[in-house]
Amino acid sequence: MSSVSLVTAGAGTAAAESSALLPLKASGDIVVDGVHRRVFISDPAAGHVVVTDYAGTVTGTVGSLPGVHGLELSPDSGTLYAAVQDADAVVAIDTATATESRRIFTGAGSGPEYVALAGGKLWFSYGTSGDGNIGSLDPSAADPAVTLGQDTGRTFYEAPILDASSGAPGTLVAGAPGQSPVELAVYDVSSGAASRTAYAFDPGGTGGGNLQDLAVTPDGKDVVTASGAPYYHAVYKLPDLSADGKYVTNTYPNAVDIAPNGDVAAGTDSSYDPDVHVFKQGVSTPVKQYDLPNTGTPGDSDLLAPAGLAWAPDESRLFALSKNGSDAYALRVYDTPAVTR
């Protein structure tokens, strides 16, 4: 157990935070399974997915996943889909047993990186060096046919970050990772094919860039982005990507996750300021802010990992993945972070 600094807005208070060290060499994505009360974290460098309980205790690993990055949980929480870049495959993981149940080859050299479920299909992004694109497959099929090249407009230089929401079941949102300025696109996937319906290069005209994460709201009305600049989490309307507000945070936004009830967890890569910010939907001032431990000694300060936030589905906990200057990773658990009393 370790302590955490807490900054509250209004009357907000929080329960004590717990943390646990993790056997990670790098981090890609984090997903919470509320049915089995497990947390899944991908490690592209080690080629495995680490599995923990709600306290952060490691309960297992799923190996032989070289370059594993994006993760997506099925609506029934029975299957975790993982994009395994260096194996040119999407792997299905049985969440009850935390073991690989199926491996779907996506084509030689495809290198899938991010995944999202929308319109009855599993969508994955792939490609580098000007060949970024989107593919799809039917995860319910006995022998899934893989369709590459779904983004006929060739929107992205490399594999884009993907997300979708049950509130807009036929909509897929994509964003260029690490690029300046930010580049976003929206696709109608209700027919089984991807048709680009909106596109924005530097949405809102902020000049911001270095997109690290994005999340579609549960009602399907907005997408919230986390990019290194500007120093807030921008909100854009779906389907046209017009500006729709902001969540005010601080330097270097790098993570965002949205609870089923709309509560927003926004993360920043901030050495001497709060790193985790919790908002009520549509309210730009945070309910609570958490500052990761920082001893002031070079190499010892903990920073939030990119895309390192995930809510428990019942909103009882918020999980944050941190990394310090010595490359040690920890999973931090915040109890009832959106409750004020």
Side-chain angles (χ1 to χ4, degrees):
M1 302 286 285
S2 67
S3 61
V4 62
S5 299
L6 167 68
V7 181
T8 62
T13 59
E17 173 244 359
S18 64
S19 66
L21 293 175
L22 297 176
L24 296 175
K25 294 182 179 179
S27 66
D29 202 359
I30 176 172
V31 168
V32 181
D33 167 15
V35 172
H36 303 100
R37 297 175 67 83
R38 286 175 169 166
V39 181
F40 295 86
I41 303 165
S42 61
D43 182 339
H48 60 217
V49 170
V50 172
V51 188
T52 80
D53 61 18
Y54 269 19
T57 302
V58 176
T59 60
T61 59
V62 184
S64 301
L65 305 173
V68 61
H69 196 118
L71 304 174
E72 177 81 333
L73 189 64
S74 65
D76 65 359
S77 293
T79 304
L80 180 72
Y81 296 100
V84 186
Q85 188 173 26
D86 296 339
D88 296 328
V90 170
V91 169
I93 296 169
D94 184 322
T95 55
T97 61
T99 58
E100 180 178 333
S101 60
R102 190 181 196 187
R103 185 168 292 220
I104 304 167
F105 184 61
T106 55
S110 56
E113 192 163 354
Y114 298 92
V115 282
L117 287 163
K121 288 194 174 183
L122 182 71
W123 301 85
F124 59 90
S125 63
Y126 65 95
T128 59
S129 304
D131 290 324
N133 215 304
I134 298 170
S136 67
L137 59 89
D138 181 357
S140 66
D143 184 17
V146 173
T147 304
L148 299 176
Q150 291 267 23
D151 178 20
T152 57
R154 301 291 297 276
T155 306
F156 297 103
Y157 184 80
E158 59 184 83
I161 303 168
L162 301 179
D163 198 36
S165 165
S166 59
T171 299
L172 180 71
V173 180
Q179 180 178 294
S180 297
V182 170
E183 187 176 21
L184 302 173
V186 181
Y187 300 86
D188 181 349
V189 297
S190 57
S191 68
S195 174
R196 198 180 80 180
T197 57
Y199 170 77
F201 186 79
D202 190 15
T206 64
N210 191 23
L211 183 70
Q212 299 290 302
D213 200 6
L214 58 82
V216 179
T217 56
D219 59 14
K221 294 180 179 179
D222 290 299
V223 59
V224 182
T225 59
S227 55
Y231 299 155
Y232 56 80
H233 286 62
V235 184
Y236 302 102
K237 290 182 182 178
L238 297 180
D240 64 0
L241 293 174
S242 60
D244 198 26
K246 65 180 72 172
Y247 292 102
V248 179
T249 51
N250 50 37
T251 52
Y252 315 129
N254 69 346
V256 60
D257 194 46
I258 306 175
N261 71 348
D263 290 341
V264 174
T268 54
D269 179 1
S270 306
S271 295
Y272 299 101
D273 292 303
D275 307 87
V276 179
H277 319 258
V278 181
F279 299 82
K280 290 297 182 181
Q281 184 175 16
V283 181
S284 62
T285 303
V287 174
K288 292 176 184 171
Q289 298 185 89
Y290 300 90
D291 193 10
L292 296 177
N294 189 334
T295 64
T297 303
D300 286 343
S301 61
D302 282 63
L303 297 173
L304 186 70
L309 291 175
W311 286 95
D314 63 0
E315 295 101 32
S316 63
R317 293 169 178 81
L318 176 64
F319 299 89
L321 185 63
S322 68
K323 176 187 176 184
N324 70 15
S326 300
D327 293 333
Y329 284 86
L331 184 64
R332 303 183 180 277
V333 186
Y334 302 95
D335 295 329
T336 59
V339 174
T340 58
R341 56 183 181 271

